[in-house]
Amino acid sequence: MATKLDYYAVLEVTREVSSDELKKAYRKLAMKYHPDRNAGDASAEERFKQINEAYDVLKDADKRAAYDRFGHAAFEGGGGGPGGFDFGGGFGGGGLGDIFEQMFGDMMGGRRGGGGRSAGADIQTQVEITLAEAFKGVKKSITIKTRVMCESCDGTGSKDKEAGVEVCPSCHGAGKVRAQQGFFVVERPCPSCHGAGRVIKDPCPACHGVGTVEQPRTLEIAIPAGVEDGTRIRLSGEGQSGGKGAPAGDLYVHIAVQASELFQRDGSNIYCRVPLRMAQAALGTEVEVPVVDGTRASVKIPAGTQSGEHFRLRGKGFSVLRSSSRGDMYVQVVVETPQNLSKRQKELLEEFEKEAGEHVKSSPEHAGFFSRVKDFFEGRS
Ligand SMILES: [Zn+2]
Ligand SMILES: [Zn+2]
């Protein structure tokens, strides 16, 4: 059996590499060693094969976990290595149950609890809701993937539950190997079994030897009215299941509230910007505005309203978390200067403007400003 290179080394990445980084590393190398670019170069061709083989395993979460655990042995069907070991004969000290409990616990990636039991890992997920949903509160179905014990192999990871696991031939079950390094002898985890001390001869096809499989689970979560963007909801015990008899982890749901095109929220207050036509602001009008609860409200705009003025609608704001009260809504009007005028509109406005000089009071700020400018240039201020 030829010695196989470590898949991580082949892809020039660390064991902690994220799946995104892994993909990048693979693309880079696959491009470099692609046969089209290295015609007739046998070593590049060999390298290209190794890169693909390594990526094939590491890109798949199940296979990667199996590889981390058992190394290349995880994918060597049938044959088996030297030194078969019969578990049936009784495994002194520890025992098979312990081994699998340990394996199972490690698979769950859980923190170690008391007495060697491992609690399941926490899961993080995100849910996006609209502002209207955040106002009313909403129930959302979410699907999360958790790892559960593989039923095909009862969590053993081996196709043959009874006799498919053997002591690692490299370290004879110790999980560690000794190597001379200068003057010192150092111990490190066995590279063949990655410290497990055991290898699976014929991995279970359903779980690739991991002993657990990913299973989707759908939960309904109640998001309370008044929730803010970035709120985190904790569902205790809904995370990864723990090892035998150990508690499950928690599920954390991060709430993302979509930005609204109509409303801006600030705590329990809501702001809505309403553009008014110039004549509406000058003559006064009544405008209908949307309210975040889905109703409409009417706002009286008095004659002579200036751009930027606010009108407050009490109790029409956002719901307050764990309370029946509501904040206020602020309607901010913005006067829109007309553009792309028709011929008739132009005539009317020109006529309107002719009157302006005689009615200084209709634009007092304008008149005041230009009289101060005049004083300035004539040295009076
Ligand atoms: Zn299995
Ligand atoms: Zn080993």
Side-chain angles (χ1 to χ4, degrees):
M1 188 173 72
T3 319
K4 282 195 152 188
L5 289 168
D6 181 84
Y7 285 152
Y8 292 96
V10 166
L11 292 172
E12 299 174 6
V13 293
T14 64
R15 305 192 82 82
E16 292 74 38
V17 70
S18 70
S19 60
D20 278 356
E21 285 167 352
L22 184 75
K23 195 189 270 174
K24 267 190 219 151
Y26 165 71
R27 284 200 182 139
K28 202 179 110 201
L29 291 170
M31 208 102 96
K32 190 168 162 192
Y33 292 102
H34 197 279
D36 288 354
R37 290 189 166 189
N38 300 275
D41 182 346
S43 73
E45 194 187 320
E46 178 57 29
R47 189 77 210 282
F48 185 70
K49 269 189 212 156
Q50 289 171 347
I51 291 161
N52 279 294
E53 185 190 321
Y55 183 63
D56 232 38
V57 169
L58 298 186
K59 73 178 179 195
D60 180 302
D62 285 340
K63 288 188 190 170
R64 181 172 170 180
Y67 177 71
D68 286 347
R69 204 76 204 139
F70 306 109
H72 294 293
F75 310 104
E76 283 155 12
F85 197 94
D86 180 19
F87 276 113
F91 191 71
L96 207 53
D98 285 349
I99 297 165
F100 291 133
E101 189 168 340
Q102 184 201 335
M103 273 174 43
F104 200 74
D106 284 359
M107 287 307 150
M108 293 310 186
R111 21 171 211 247
R112 291 259 157 215
R117 284 175 178 177
S118 52
D122 295 336
I123 300 177
Q124 316 272 343
T125 188
Q126 200 190 43
V127 166
E128 202 177 78
I129 59 172
T130 63
L131 191 72
E133 287 173 332
F135 172 80
K136 284 181 192 159
V138 65
K139 283 203 165 98
K140 286 274 171 184
S141 275
I142 54 165
T143 301
I144 49 166
K145 280 184 176 169
T146 54
R147 298 201 75 91
V148 296
M149 194 181 81
C150 173
E151 282 181 10
S152 312
C153 62
D154 284 343
T156 61
S158 171
K159 199 170 175 181
D160 180 348
K161 283 178 247 177
E162 304 302 318
V165 182
E166 64 181 26
V167 164
C168 171
S170 305
C171 63
H172 306 289
K176 288 174 242 161
V177 287
R178 286 159 165 269
Q180 186 84 33
Q181 208 171 66
F183 295 110
F184 306 101
V185 173
V186 289
E187 254 188 3
R188 53 168 89 94
C190 167
S192 306
C193 63
H194 298 277
R198 287 151 293 275
V199 288
I200 288 173
K201 250 162 77 179
D202 196 0
C204 162
C207 64
H208 304 287
V210 179
T212 59
V213 286
E214 237 177 24
Q215 202 177 61
R217 188 152 52 94
T218 302
L219 290 168
E220 191 165 83
I221 56 163
I223 298 169
V227 75
E228 286 202 51
D229 184 49
T231 301
R232 195 171 76 155
I233 295 177
R234 175 167 157 258
L235 297 169
S236 143
E238 298 287 0
Q240 296 286 9
S241 38
K244 222 185 279 171
D250 298 334
L251 172 67
Y252 288 96
V253 183
H254 296 258
I255 310 294
V257 181
Q258 287 165 14
S260 160
E261 293 193 336
L262 287 175
F263 305 105
Q264 285 80 49
R265 179 181 173 189
D266 180 17
S268 63
N269 291 333
I270 279 275
Y271 296 82
C272 180
R273 197 168 170 273
V274 179
L276 284 185
R277 287 192 301 272
M278 188 181 75
Q280 287 181 302
L283 301 171
T285 185
E286 198 164 327
V287 289
E288 198 176 63
V289 295
V291 179
V292 69
D293 61 14
T295 61
R296 298 157 204 269
S298 187
V299 183
K300 264 209 165 68
I301 308 292
T305 291
Q306 299 299 324
S307 194
E309 273 183 41
H310 285 94
F311 298 90
R312 176 156 82 159
L313 305 178
R314 274 182 195 279
K316 299 271 187 205
F318 218 74
S319 34
V320 178
L321 202 62
R322 285 182 287 274
S323 154
S324 58
S325 64
R326 279 174 69 176
D328 299 331
M329 175 172 174
Y330 291 88
V331 172
Q332 184 190 33
V333 300
V334 180
V335 178
E336 185 178 23
T337 304
Q339 48 192 337
N340 306 315
L341 302 174
S342 71
K343 192 166 169 273
R344 175 79 181 128
Q345 280 179 314
K346 229 176 180 169
E347 284 168 10
L348 286 168
L349 282 180
E350 275 162 1
E351 204 170 315
F352 173 85
E353 188 56 20
K354 273 182 209 154
E355 291 284 306
E358 278 146 53
H359 293 273
V360 178
K361 275 189 193 157
S362 65
S363 313
E365 282 213 36
H366 174 92
F369 175 79
F370 286 99
S371 95
R372 282 192 293 279
V373 169
K374 195 164 174 258
D375 288 350
F376 171 75
F377 286 118
E378 290 174 2
R380 283 194 291 270
S381 70

